[in-house]
Amino acid sequence: MTTHTPTQDVTQWLEQFEAALHARDIQQVLDLFGEECYWRDLVTFTWNLKTLEGKEEIQAMLDATLAETRPTNWRLDGEANEADGVIEAWITFETAVASGKGLLRLKEGRCWTLLTTMQALKDHPEPSRERRPKGAQHGASKSRETWLEARQREQEALGYTRQPYCVIIGGGQGGIALAARLRQLDVPTIVVEKNPRPGDSWRNRYKSLCLHDPVWYDHLPYIPFPENWPVFAPKDKLGDWLEMYTKVMELNYWGSTECESARYDEAAGEWIVEVNRDGERVTLRPQQLVLATGMSGMPNVPRFPGAERFEGEQQHSSQHPGPDAYRGKKVVVVGANNSAHDICAALWENDADVTMLQRSSTHIVKSDSLMDVVLGPLYSEEAVRNGITHDTADLIFASIPYKVLPDVQRPAFDEIRKRDAEFYQRLEEAGFLLDFGSDDSGLFLKYLRRGSGYYIDVGACDLVANGEIKLHSGVGIECINPRSVTLTDGTELPADLIVYATGYGSMNGWAARIISQEVADKVGKCWGLGSDTPKDPGPWEGELRNMWKPTQQEALWFHGGNLHQSRHYSRYLALQLKARLEGIPTPVYGLQEVHHLA
């Protein structure tokens, strides 16, 4: 018997795959896939973010896209490896217009999962490495223009005598990451941000806020955090980094600028965007409009009877300044997720009498356990030593189809449940309502499905378990009185301050406010997978709704998520926008249907 190495198996599979694609013999292509199979394509074949599940969907995609895509040069990148009966291999390939990278997994010689991602447009590469700009102009010239003069000329013209191709509304991490990508692709772009300085969206949050994700997970494109950057960055330090980054990456960032309205002129093929730039009314006419207003959308502020009679303060968690003014005060925090725990802990540290009101169960995972068991293999110092950069880790994570992800995540969270059993027991004995997601798949699936319902514990849970943060669980607010809150079980809590840590609505709420309700309904709900779990109604969609990809509204895009997603998916959104700027055909396959308005 001849024993094949994993590398030989993958090489043979790729040769057969390329030959079948070249011959446009789709049945032969399908024979190379297993009965359970997934192909996740990020822009290369579909000009979309699309996961094909099963041979029938793969066939339909190839029938529609193969003639235009013309893929070639499928190559193994490095050596393949095998574990638990699955062969895994990095691959490279080309299409008619782009270079691509992917990750292939074989089971019993046939494809189980295939990831294909666009990395660059062939005729429009980024000016890096051997293509980097020279900077200095050697020689003598009477018309010499310095870098500073050229930069000032650009800033004075763009938005006035020269229109941007793209306007990004929202200058937080998402807008900044995307603008940096577009800058390197020479796409004229303006970022519109209501706060004065880049990073203010972090600076303005409650003062104890730190990132709960580790540094290896949070790098921005092009400029990673330095090796002495803290594992969990404080909000103001991150704000300063974003401000530095915006300047160094030469972004056209309009601070103190609020978008008042936007409408799409179909005849002209452009948006008419009215902004107030520090008191000056300016009309921008970009061809593409991106809402980078944060994946959480508009703040959810519940309405309770009697709220208008309350004599103390009421504020959404996004408005909470921190604990300093509330020493000795009685505070009720409505909610039991990340912000609620952070705010409660900071208030307790400043000697407030604080009560957490938990209306429904919360998924809790200790930060150390999340790092050790879940994130560590991909995003950690150990991963870096093993040759897994954040870009490599991003592709590995992206290569797991969302349909498969619960099965991949569940064992890790089962391990955490056993590892921290005593911790969870103490919380439950205090009356805290715990869950691990509707199917026990843990944190990331909760985040992807609904963007809420969890807390990464950095210390507040001990205060809850010990009773130092008071807890009322499984109840809501019946009514608000002038100096107290009455709960649905009849309990009355004295209150000087009520903090609504009640989360946010869908991003299309910003589309309704800035553009129109009609357009918001046209594009539908943002975020969620259609998993038919709480706050993520079906049908199954296989990708996050409306994020980083074409929507039902021409030339309107949504960009956001955590720092990891802003970094990784900004590449694909930037390439889609650059292709349209250059007139490259971008026939979109599988444009998402709208099943939910919000």
Side-chain angles (χ1 to χ4, degrees):
M1 293 180 61
T2 302
T3 301
H4 291 279
T5 67
T7 293
Q8 290 171 326
D9 287 343
V10 169
T11 300
Q12 182 181 26
W13 190 92
L14 287 173
E15 289 171 352
Q16 295 172 336
F17 186 58
E18 179 160 14
L21 290 172
H22 180 72
R24 299 187 188 174
D25 186 340
I26 294 177
Q27 185 55 54
Q28 189 177 344
V29 173
L30 297 178
D31 288 343
L32 295 169
F33 285 77
E35 289 308 308
E36 181 194 13
C37 56
Y38 306 88
W39 183 339
R40 188 177 191 215
D41 181 63
L42 305 184
V43 185
T44 52
F45 280 70
T46 60
W47 290 103
N48 198 353
L49 275 61
K50 186 73 176 173
T51 299
L52 298 316
E53 300 178 359
K55 292 185 179 184
E56 186 176 329
E57 291 189 11
I58 292 172
Q59 179 174 356
M61 184 272 285
L62 290 175
D63 283 339
T65 65
L66 194 51
E68 181 85 25
T69 306
R70 304 197 302 278
T72 58
N73 290 334
W74 296 85
R75 298 289 182 268
L76 176 65
D77 185 11
E79 297 291 323
N81 59 74
E82 183 173 3
D84 300 324
V86 177
I87 293 175
E88 189 172 280
W90 292 102
I91 60 174
T92 60
F93 62 98
E94 297 178 19
T95 69
V97 300
S99 60
K101 186 169 185 174
L103 188 57
L104 169 68
R105 294 186 182 93
L106 301 180
K107 282 185 178 180
E108 299 179 349
R110 286 182 166 81
C111 179
W112 172 42
T113 72
L114 175 62
L115 171 71
T116 49
T117 72
M118 185 177 289
Q119 294 293 297
L121 294 165
K122 289 180 181 177
D123 293 337
H124 306 283
E126 293 187 1
S128 63
R129 297 182 178 176
E130 66 275 2
R131 292 184 294 270
R132 71 175 70 226
K134 193 168 185 179
Q137 295 180 0
H138 293 166
S141 171
K142 292 184 180 293
S143 60
R144 180 186 301 278
E145 185 178 48
T146 66
W147 170 85
L148 179 59
E149 290 166 339
R151 182 80 180 105
Q152 289 172 336
R153 177 171 53 81
E154 177 190 28
Q155 290 173 317
E156 290 168 1
L158 194 63
Y160 295 95
T161 60
R162 175 185 171 222
Q163 285 300 314
Y165 179 73
C166 178
V167 164
I168 300 170
I169 298 175
Q173 66 218 30
I176 287 171
L178 177 60
R181 299 274 193 194
L182 292 170
R183 180 74 180 184
Q184 295 308 301
L185 288 168
D186 196 24
V187 177
T189 300
I190 292 175
V191 179
V192 171
E193 169 57 42
K194 64 182 179 182
N195 290 310
R197 296 161 54 200
D200 278 351
S201 56
W202 285 95
R203 294 188 189 97
N204 293 344
R205 297 296 303 279
Y206 53 91
K207 75 173 191 175
S208 64
L209 177 63
C210 288
L211 290 182
H212 289 183
D213 298 324
V215 61
W216 306 276
Y217 188 75
D218 289 338
H219 297 294
L220 294 177
Y222 310 112
I223 307 177
F225 294 115
E227 293 183 357
N228 62 350
W229 194 261
V231 175
F232 302 107
K235 69 179 184 74
D236 296 285
K237 188 174 179 67
L238 181 62
D240 289 348
W241 181 266
L242 292 171
E243 186 169 24
M244 176 281 298
Y245 184 93
T246 300
K247 187 167 187 177
V248 169
M249 295 303 293
E250 301 177 25
L251 308 186
N252 293 301
Y253 191 99
W254 285 15
S256 300
T257 303
E258 189 155 4
C259 179
E260 298 183 333
S261 67
R263 62 181 177 88
Y264 189 63
D265 184 335
E266 292 191 17
E270 65 185 21
W271 288 91
I272 300 171
V273 182
E274 304 287 349
V275 303
N276 184 329
R277 189 183 187 191
D278 203 14
E280 177 190 10
R281 298 298 176 91
V282 182
T283 301
L284 301 173
R285 295 180 177 270
Q287 293 180 49
Q288 307 289 339
L289 183 65
V290 180
L291 297 187
T293 49
M295 57 76 62
S296 299
M298 306 286 291
N300 277 332
V301 181
R303 297 178 181 273
F304 296 114
E308 71 283 355
R309 298 178 302 164
F310 188 62
E311 296 173 2
E313 290 184 65
Q314 300 177 75
Q315 54 197 212
H316 188 264
S317 58
S318 60
Q319 304 164 317
H320 179 65
D324 293 3
Y326 307 106
R327 187 178 300 274
K329 303 288 187 180
K330 295 186 181 298
V331 184
V332 174
V333 177
V334 183
N337 298 332
N338 268 334
S339 294
H341 278 85
D342 283 350
I343 290 169
C344 284
L347 286 163
W348 175 86
E349 289 176 346
N350 282 263
D351 297 321
D353 180 347
V354 58
T355 300
M356 178 186 290
L357 182 60
Q358 183 190 29
R359 298 173 296 170
S360 58
S361 65
T362 306
H363 172 50
I364 302 289
V365 60
K366 296 180 76 170
S367 178
D368 289 348
S369 297
L370 184 67
M371 281 294 304
D372 294 345
V373 180
V374 183
L375 282 172
L378 292 182
Y379 299 97
S380 66
E381 207 61 48
E382 182 182 5
V384 173
R385 284 196 298 270
N386 291 334
I388 302 176
T389 66
H390 57 275
D391 289 326
T392 300
D394 291 347
L395 289 172
I396 294 172
F397 193 71
S399 73
I400 304 170
Y402 288 125
K403 193 83 166 183
V404 174
L405 192 57
D407 291 335
V408 173
Q409 292 284 295
R410 201 174 289 113
F413 285 95
D414 285 345
E415 181 180 339
I416 286 174
R417 199 194 311 240
K418 294 173 185 174
R419 167 179 167 150
D420 297 326
E422 183 182 348
F423 165 77
Y424 291 121
Q425 183 179 350
R426 290 175 57 230
L427 276 174
E428 288 185 314
E429 288 173 351
F432 196 87
L433 303 175
L434 288 169
D435 70 61
F436 275 74
S438 61
D439 56 359
D440 291 332
S441 57
L443 177 73
F444 289 110
L445 270 301
K446 261 209 163 184
Y447 171 69
L448 293 166
R449 290 165 174 170
R450 52 184 283 190
S452 65
Y454 54 85
Y455 169 55
I456 301 173
D457 179 43
V458 292
C461 283
D462 281 336
L463 298 175
V464 173
N466 295 339
E468 292 169 284
I469 292 174
K470 298 172 186 175
L471 175 68
H472 286 265
S473 57
V475 293
I477 292 179
E478 181 72 30
C479 66
I480 297 176
N481 311 306
R483 300 301 302 184
S484 66
V485 171
T486 301
L487 306 183
T488 51
D489 65 359
T491 303
E492 186 174 354
L493 302 176
D496 301 302
L497 168 68
I498 304 170
V499 179
Y500 298 110
T502 46
Y504 300 82
S506 172
M507 279 182 77
N508 70 345
W510 284 106
R513 173 181 284 193
I514 293 169
I515 307 169
S516 68
Q517 188 63 53
E518 180 184 8
V519 167
D521 291 344
K522 185 177 181 181
V523 299
K525 181 180 174 68
C526 298
W527 210 259
L529 300 168
S531 62
D532 201 24
T533 58
K535 299 191 178 181
D536 184 29
W540 176 250
E541 311 214 25
E543 292 283 344
L544 286 171
R545 300 181 187 96
N546 281 319
M547 299 304 299
W548 319 297
K549 60 184 179 180
T551 69
Q552 290 287 349
Q553 171 59 55
E554 184 179 354
L556 177 64
W557 310 78
F558 293 87
H559 176 69
N562 57 30
L563 280 154
H564 151 254
Q565 291 170 309
S566 294
R567 171 186 69 245
H568 182 59
Y569 288 99
S570 60
R571 176 192 297 274
Y572 309 116
L573 179 47
L575 288 168
Q576 292 173 81
L577 294 170
K578 175 65 172 178
R580 285 163 172 77
L581 170 64
E582 299 297 342
I584 296 171
T586 57
V588 176
Y589 177 79
L591 183 66
Q592 177 195 302
E593 297 179 16
V594 175
H595 300 291
H596 306 283
L597 300 185

